[in-house]
Amino acid sequence: MIEKMFGEYEMKFSSLKTFYAYMTSHPGKKLIFMGQEFAQFNEWRYYEQLDWGLLDFEAHRQMKDFVKALNHLYLSEPALWQRDFSWDGFCWISGDDNENSVIAFRRFGDNGQELIVICNFTPVSRVNYKIGLPFLGQYEKIFSTCQGTEDYKTVISKAGPLHGLKFSGDFFIPQMSAAYYKCTKIVSSL
């Protein structure tokens, strides 16, 4: 998969992390071939062992750690897997911003669990990017492909409809990134 990503070496890793985070948050079961969890350049071949030597390089070790963290998040967030085969588990917020290549959607679990997923598929960061939100409250970033990015870790929604929802929030969306948000505090009135 790493060789199918656009750009130079570092950008390929950012792109692959964004793709894996998008795939993990999108409905349906997940599958990657052996070696793709550490960004093996060669496609998997049954007659050879994996390119384990790549783990001597920091970018490949970081990719392995990223996939491990993403898998742990997937298991810990029922909204990502409980309603995989039903429209009750997925709802677009914004899927038509072709100028910015940003998408946002909601994932739902069985007991009211909900996540907001935001993906930016371009090498341009988006500052104060407005996204519709379902609740008036505080949204915490629980996972991001850009670890260490503290900008907009918490977003407070405000009144004002957007994308068919009653509220909205301003997000910082780094280049080639995906982030998962959870509403951690709902305000009952304006």
Side-chain angles (χ1 to χ4, degrees), residues 48-63:
E48 290 182 358
Q49 69 172 324
L50 299 178
D51 294 335
W52 297 112
L54 290 174
L55 290 172
D56 292 339
F57 299 93
E58 184 177 1
H60 295 273
R61 283 193 311 273
Q62 288 174 347
M63 180 59 76

Side-chain angles (χ1 to χ4, degrees), residues 135-152:
F135 307 111
L136 184 62
Q138 180 174 303
Y139 291 79
E140 297 288 335
K141 186 188 304 179
I142 63 165
F143 189 83
S144 174
T145 58
C146 298
Q147 302 298 6
T149 303
E150 297 302 320
D151 295 335
Y152 293 72

Side-chain angles (χ1 to χ4, degrees), residues 2 9-10 13-14 17 37-41 51-67 147:
I2 192 75
Y9 187 75
E10 286 182 24
F13 283 90
S14 296
K17 287 178 182 178
E37 70 276 15
F38 60 87
Q40 178 173 298
F41 292 105
D51 294 335
W52 297 112
L54 290 174
L55 290 172
D56 292 339
F57 299 93
E58 184 177 1
H60 295 273
R61 283 193 311 273
Q62 288 174 347
M63 180 59 76
K64 181 182 74 66
D65 293 342
F66 169 81
V67 171
Q147 302 298 6

Side-chain angles (χ1 to χ4, degrees), residues 88-107:
D88 295 339
F90 177 89
C91 179
W92 281 109
I93 295 174
S94 173
D96 61 355
D97 185 0
N98 60 342
E99 287 186 24
N100 294 303
S101 294
V102 172
I103 61 171
F105 54 89
R106 299 164 72 184
R107 289 299 312 269

Side-chain angles (χ1 to χ4, degrees), residues 1 16-24 32 36 66-67 70:
M1 289 300 296
L16 188 57
K17 287 178 182 178
T18 301
F19 171 70
Y20 283 168
Y22 167 72
M23 178 184 74
T24 300
I32 59 175
Q36 299 311 302
F66 169 81
V67 171
L70 188 59

